[in-house]
Amino acid sequence: RNLTRAATLVGLCMAGTTAVSAQEITLRGASMFDEQHAFTKTMEKFAELVDEYYDGDVVFDLRLNGELGVEADYVTFLQQGVAIDYTIMAPSNMATFAPSIPLMDMPFLFRDQDHWEATLSSDVLKPLEDELLEKADIMVIGYTGGGVRNVISKEPIENLEQLAGFKMRVMGAPIQAQIFSALTAAPSAIAYNEVYNAIQTGVIAGFENEAASIQNLKFYEVAPHVTLTKHAITVRPIVMSGKTFRKLPDPLQQAVLKAGVEAGAFGRELESREDGQKLQEMVDAGQLTVHEFANREQLLEMVAPVQDAYAAELGATELLEAIRAK
Ligand code: X1X
């Protein structure tokens, strides 16, 4: 199924992404990770389900290990309708095109796993999806995620005093930097594929991420301390370029929409289940040391005004209330 071909990115862009003919349709996906990561497994599940629901031939060409770049690249490709057709990505990596979309992965948005699941299995996020489609021509076809994001650092961090001035990488959406600034850290937006080196060379002292990705990309080699800030449960839309979707025959469009929702549910169950296991595997292997964060509840109080101001600025106060009420 995963037909990895040795083609350059330029070649891919020039070739276009979707060959629609009576004989064959090719859909190209991208993952920053290898076969072991939940995103990759979820995209494989998506392909399997499309095959099951569509009575025709589709070739899924899923490129792994960051062969086609990182999420910040994918969002441009999807918006332009080149190089890739579908992927899974963080809303905070799509802010350039749709400023409101990072509301759905804003730190401290969800109280717990039940709140997160209730939100993702409802249609409360639809206004954000509509904006993404309108402004970036990117369709949300399902929701995966479920990893718990924590602070990862070179040196141990156990309380607010130690978090103060912590030079850390955050994702590109301004709300990410605003939240960590409110916690008195010193955030800066750095591309994901530069994080490892930036920590190694001392440009930053750490970042924040979930277990699946820390393990897959071996971030523990440069940042062996994890602090249980538990500031986010990941929301990761499965997305498809609108330019691709519109070229597909109607029965395939229906199969894609059904498969997207079901692959999302599969991915949420998988990543949530594996999250604690993967953290423990890294602890057991001596790769990570876990630290509790003293007075975590205080963090919630510090960020609430920042969340409110961000939603107000977007005209999304009611939406934020609706998510909080889920
Ligand atoms: O922090 C990031 O940019 C990345 O972190 C993990 O690898 C994933 O959640 C991914 O979607 C991206 O957000």
Side-chain angles (χ1 to χ4, degrees), residues 46 86 139-143 237-240 245 256-257 259-262:
F46 168 66
Y86 68 98
M139 293 176 64
V140 174
I141 57 171
Y143 285 101
I238 307 176
V239 284
M240 179 169 271
F245 186 81
V256 160
L257 295 177
V261 171
E262 291 178 20

Side-chain angles (χ1 to χ4, degrees), residues 16-312:
T17 57
T18 310
V20 180
S21 73
Q23 292 77 33
E24 182 183 288
I25 295 172
T26 297
L27 294 176
R28 185 177 299 122
S31 172
M32 303 194 294
F33 309 102
D34 68 17
E35 303 79 2
Q36 302 305 317
H37 195 281
F39 287 12
T40 306
K41 290 180 182 168
T42 300
M43 283 189 269
E44 284 171 347
K45 184 71 179 176
F46 168 66
E48 208 178 288
L49 289 167
V50 170
D51 268 354
E52 188 181 325
Y53 298 138
Y54 178 59
D55 186 19
D57 285 335
V58 185
V59 174
F60 285 90
D61 178 11
L62 179 58
R63 306 297 177 100
L64 307 185
N65 300 307
E67 182 193 343
L68 300 184
V70 289
E71 292 177 9
D73 306 310
Y74 302 164
V75 70
T76 309
F77 295 155
L78 292 173
Q79 190 263 341
Q80 295 176 353
V82 298
I84 65 171
D85 300 297
Y86 68 98
T87 190
I88 292 171
M89 71 161 82
S92 280
N93 286 326
M94 299 195 259
T96 330
F97 296 106
S100 69
I101 196 86
L103 184 80
M104 61 166 86
D105 70 335
M106 179 166 72
F108 299 99
L109 182 60
F110 301 111
R111 288 182 299 279
D112 52 31
Q113 203 84 14
D114 287 345
H115 181 206
W116 168 83
E117 182 58 41
T119 303
L120 293 193
S121 48
S122 75
D123 61 1
V124 71
L125 301 177
K126 178 128 190 343
L128 302 177
E129 295 170 19
D130 290 346
E131 198 201 45
L132 184 68
L133 185 59
E134 189 195 318
K135 297 201 167 147
D137 200 10
I138 295 175
M139 293 176 64
V140 174
I141 57 171
Y143 285 101
T144 184
V148 176
R149 280 171 88 102
N150 289 302
V151 164
I152 316 294
S153 52
K154 253 179 158 158
E155 304 297 335
I157 294 178
E158 296 184 332
N159 51 47
L160 259 177
E161 290 69 42
Q162 290 171 343
L163 190 64
F166 171 58
K167 283 164 80 179
M168 65 182 292
R169 175 268 180 179
V170 290
M171 289 186 283
I175 183 61
Q176 294 283 337
Q178 287 162 17
I179 295 268
F180 287 97
S181 295
L183 299 179
T184 73
S188 51
I190 295 179
Y192 198 55
N193 49 354
E194 289 168 15
V195 172
Y196 187 105
N197 274 350
I199 300 174
Q200 197 170 39
T201 55
V203 172
I204 49 172
F207 72 125
E208 49 88 47
N209 232 246
E210 66 269 24
S213 304
I214 297 167
Q215 187 181 56
N216 208 266
L217 297 180
K218 299 189 170 61
F219 284 116
Y220 51 76
E221 291 175 349
V222 289
H225 296 279
V226 58
T227 306
L228 300 182
T229 43
K230 300 180 190 165
H231 54 269
I233 304 174
T234 60
V235 171
R236 294 293 176 265
I238 307 176
V239 284
M240 179 169 271
S241 171
K243 293 177 180 62
T244 296
F245 186 81
R246 288 189 295 274
K247 285 188 218 159
L248 305 178
D250 186 66
L252 181 52
Q253 289 184 346
Q254 300 316 313
V256 160
L257 295 177
K258 188 167 155 66
V261 171
E262 291 178 20
F266 166 90
R268 297 204 295 280
E269 191 283 322
L270 177 72
E271 193 169 342
S272 308
R273 176 163 44 81
E274 287 186 345
D275 187 64
Q277 291 166 7
K278 287 185 178 292
L279 191 61
Q280 194 56 48
E281 279 166 21
M282 290 183 277
V283 170
D284 292 346
Q287 294 161 337
L288 274 186
T289 305
V290 174
H291 305 271
E292 292 292 335
F293 190 85
N295 298 326
R296 181 185 171 275
E297 313 69 52
Q298 205 184 330
L299 302 183
L300 306 181
E301 289 163 28
M302 292 167 85
V303 303
V306 179
Q307 295 182 326
D308 293 347
Y310 169 63

